[in-house]
Amino acid sequence: MNLIPEEFQIISPLIQDTYLVNGELKKWTGPTTPVYSTISSTENYAPTLLGTIPFMGETEALEAVKAADEAFNNGQGLWPTMKVVDRIKCMENFVAQMKTTRSEVVKLLMWEIGKSQGDSEKEFDRTVEYIYDTIESYKELNARSAHFSKVQGIYAMVRRGPLGVVLCLGPYNYPLNETFSLLIPALIMGNPAIFKPAKHGVLLISPLLEAFRSCFPKGVINILYGRGREVATPVMKSGKVDILALIGNSKSAIALQDQHPNKNRLRLVLGLEAKNPAIILPDADLDLAIQECITGSLSFNGQRCTALKILYVHESIQEEFNKRFTAKVDALAFGNPWEKGVSLTPLPEKEKPAYIQELINDATAKGAKVINAKGGQLYDNFIFPAVLFPVNKGMRVYHEEQFGPVVPIMTFKDIQEPLNDMAESNYGQQVSLFGKDIKTIAPLIDTLVNLVSRVNLNSSCQRGPDVFPFTGRKDSAVGTLSIHDALRSFSIRTFVASKDN
Ligand code: G3H
């Protein structure tokens, strides 16, 4: 184990013994859950205790529902009726306070989810930028709608209004950025929110609690801790939730919707699984394609919804592609998040290496091989990325969203093969297409844009920049997120009309 730099050492556990409800940081004296990092602080491997969080239940969940419901007060609350300029002030105060927590949050991001220092810093900075951009976009939206128009003798002023209480649940791979990409537009549009941090990446919210408490009126933001089943279920069952904003798994999204007694009241803003393919055509620039497929499939160990989760390589270039791709995979450095030049890092879910191993075993039992020398090497908290070839539809890795370090490769002869597979798939987020000949690529793009929501030419899939729409077809998303679209997803058009009489 490499020495942990002093600034990143865990000196004492963070005991999170308050929760935010109705504008108050209330003391928690009930049962708690320990938060462990899979990263070791000692020579002999042992998970590191980072702190504890409250283990809450129905009582606290309903307390948060009541607070949020009262803050909305059927649209008459202080927050939904507040002047735009004042809501913006609250948000500006919040982001100013948030910026002072950067080093604490970045340190916790590294320990809690194993994200490299550079990527953790990027996640924090990107989130701050997202908040500023959201404020600007909200100003524009408002300026554009602040006038009357007259059509067929009717004067109207069309604006966007809040919907009501939002339940916000983010993912562990971007516990700050993706959660805030839901929470911030939801709040700025005048909705009160109940937010439960992700399973991993929960303590990093602690440095922000005081900013949330002091910058928003009471009940506007309520933060609960605990398991989804114990906390989110009663919130949904209350029937008071107007928007379910969730980035994560479609099974949990469906289970939560099912708890709501009035489903048509519930608006959904969901970012779900994906199985984004890369298609490498015979004339692709191989250096470029390989580099993009490495970052696409393995940045943050493949734990991104936008990761390339299956590679389709044309059979005429497969041998060369596999040889060069596997060499690059084996050259990736594994280490702790603060180590210089590291690209692969410990997996935050302790059961993940065993799951990836299962996928490898299943594929190899059905005829695939691990074609890179280091593939599948097991560590205490990691499994080295395995490149599997040739993969077929009988294998679990073809169907399951691996969300981790394993790269399945298939070959194709006719482009219709990957296109048919994409059409059959339950997912439809993005694709990466590698090739040079414009005459081949142009008609392919026309087909691909009808199968997924973003076609990346000669580049890996990704969510950003946040000005562009982030969505998906089929089981990959409900609603669209971007700075501009999120404001619309979290609001409804309402207008005042009068006859010219
Ligand atoms: O987990 C899914 C994220 O939206 C991916 O975002 O493409 O910026 O890594 P990213």
Side-chain angles (χ1 to χ4, degrees):
M1 195 201 66
N2 278 331
L3 230 50
I4 301 170
E6 214 178 312
E7 57 184 314
F8 300 136
Q9 287 172 13
I10 299 293
I11 307 300
S12 53
L14 194 167
I15 308 302
Q16 181 54 51
D17 58 359
T18 56
Y19 64 108
L20 181 59
V21 69
N22 207 25
E24 202 190 320
L25 280 171
K26 283 184 101 174
K27 189 86 182 158
W28 176 255
T29 51
T32 59
T33 311
V35 178
Y36 282 99
S37 170
T38 57
I39 301 171
S40 185
S41 298
T42 52
E43 200 67 46
N44 293 326
Y45 178 80
T48 302
L49 178 68
L50 298 178
T52 64
I53 50 162
F55 181 86
M56 298 183 156
E58 186 172 353
T59 313
E60 297 72 38
L62 295 180
E63 196 185 354
V65 170
K66 184 167 180 286
D69 191 41
E70 283 174 7
F72 193 62
N73 189 21
N74 298 318
Q76 298 167 63
L78 175 64
W79 189 243
T81 57
M82 192 180 267
K83 279 196 197 138
V84 168
V85 59
D86 293 327
R87 273 218 292 265
I88 287 176
K89 261 188 221 140
C90 294
M91 201 52 90
E92 283 171 344
N93 286 342
F94 174 77
V95 71
Q97 283 196 42
M98 175 179 168
K99 284 197 284 186
T100 66
T101 66
R102 185 177 188 265
S103 57
E104 273 173 283
V105 173
V106 165
K107 177 175 166 181
L108 285 163
L109 267 169
M110 290 193 280
W111 277 99
E112 288 198 84
I113 62 160
K115 193 170 273 191
S116 71
Q117 185 182 352
D119 283 350
S120 297
E121 288 167 348
K122 223 185 282 165
E123 176 161 353
F124 188 92
D125 297 339
R126 176 181 174 184
T127 310
V128 166
E129 202 181 311
Y130 186 91
I131 301 178
Y132 281 122
D133 290 346
T134 299
I135 293 173
E136 282 315 304
S137 188
Y138 180 48
K139 285 182 191 165
E140 275 168 38
L141 173 72
N142 223 58
R144 232 177 300 131
S145 58
H147 64 269
F148 275 95
S149 51
K150 187 182 172 190
V151 179
Q152 294 174 15
I154 307 274
Y155 284 105
M157 184 190 253
V158 184
R159 312 192 72 164
R160 300 202 72 96
L163 282 144
V165 175
V166 182
L167 174 62
C168 177
L169 305 164
Y172 82 78
N173 63 337
Y174 283 92
L176 185 76
N177 183 263
E178 294 228 287
T179 311
F180 278 39
S181 75
L182 301 171
L183 197 55
I184 299 299
L187 291 174
I188 211 165
M189 291 311 294
N191 307 285
I194 300 167
F195 156 44
K196 189 192 87 62
K199 183 170 59 159
H200 302 289
V202 47
L203 289 171
L204 58 90
I205 299 299
S206 299
L208 296 163
L209 283 181
E210 176 51 26
F212 274 125
R213 188 203 64 78
S214 60
C215 297
F216 298 100
K218 67 175 190 173
V220 168
I221 170 82
N222 304 279
I223 302 181
L224 296 172
Y225 294 93
R227 290 225 299 266
R229 215 175 312 137
E230 325 286 336
V231 175
T233 305
V235 171
M236 291 301 283
K237 275 191 172 158
S238 74
K240 300 275 186 197
V241 175
D242 297 282
I243 308 180
L244 172 62
L246 175 148
I247 296 189
N249 184 274
S250 59
K251 282 198 191 92
S252 4
I254 287 174
L256 283 169
Q257 289 167 55
D258 284 345
Q259 307 292 338
H260 202 293
N262 306 309
K263 294 199 177 35
N264 290 337
R265 166 178 180 164
L266 186 67
R267 179 178 288 200
L268 300 172
V269 181
L270 309 175
L272 305 169
E273 306 92 279
K275 191 85 184 170
N276 293 343
I279 302 175
I280 299 108
L281 299 171
D283 68 338
D285 172 340
L286 272 196
D287 283 332
L288 176 71
I290 287 168
Q291 190 45 50
E292 290 294 313
C293 286
I294 292 279
T295 42
S297 58
L298 289 172
S299 52
F300 194 35
N301 315 306
Q303 303 164 120
R304 294 161 59 233
C305 62
T306 49
L308 290 174
K309 300 204 175 92
I310 191 145
L311 310 184
Y312 287 88
V313 184
H314 191 268
E315 58 173 22
S316 62
I317 50 163
Q318 160 260 311
E319 224 174 288
E320 186 61 15
F321 181 91
N322 284 4
K323 193 171 82 192
R324 283 156 67 180
F325 182 75
T326 48
K328 281 227 174 219
V329 171
D330 280 351
L332 296 173
F334 167 62
N336 280 333
W338 38 81
E339 288 171 30
K340 293 280 164 271
V342 77
S343 26
L344 301 167
T345 48
L347 303 171
E349 296 172 290
K350 65 176 190 320
E351 48 299 310
K352 199 46 143 323
Y355 168 69
I356 298 293
Q357 185 68 62
E358 268 179 37
L359 293 182
I360 297 172
N361 294 347
D362 173 76
T364 49
K366 291 171 182 160
K369 286 202 165 55
V370 175
I371 58 168
N372 57 323
K374 292 191 188 171
Q377 277 179 9
L378 266 175
Y379 298 69
D380 295 303
N381 52 14
F382 187 64
I383 180 162
F384 200 89
V387 183
L388 289 170
F389 179 83
V391 162
N392 65 47
K393 292 185 188 178
M395 298 172 186
R396 282 176 59 189
V397 75
Y398 173 85
H399 300 277
E400 293 176 30
E401 186 196 36
Q402 64 267 43
F403 218 78
V406 59
V407 189
I409 303 185
M410 296 179 78
T411 54
F412 67 95
K413 200 196 277 275
D414 181 340
I415 188 63
Q416 204 53 47
E417 296 165 39
L419 296 181
N420 289 348
D421 290 353
M422 287 171 71
E424 258 173 39
S425 161
N426 278 337
Y427 305 117
Q429 192 197 57
Q430 300 188 19
V431 65
S432 289
L433 178 65
F434 295 93
K436 285 196 203 112
D437 178 20
I438 193 73
K439 287 201 191 78
T440 315
I441 289 178
L444 253 181
I445 293 173
D446 292 340
T447 306
L448 288 169
V449 288
N450 289 344
L451 288 169
V452 294
S453 295
R454 172 166 167 167
V455 177
N456 299 278
L457 291 179
N458 294 309
S459 48
S460 60
C461 299
Q462 63 177 59
R463 172 181 174 141
D466 289 313
V467 287
F468 294 132
F470 178 55
T471 183
R473 293 168 184 270
K474 303 186 213 170
D475 241 352
S476 285
V478 178
T480 302
L481 293 171
S482 74
I483 292 156
H484 171 93
D485 294 298
L487 295 176
R488 286 149 184 88
S489 297
F490 287 101
S491 60
I492 187 162
R493 308 243 285 170
T494 59
F495 68 104
V496 184
S498 71
K499 281 189 183 159
D500 189 10
N501 54 4

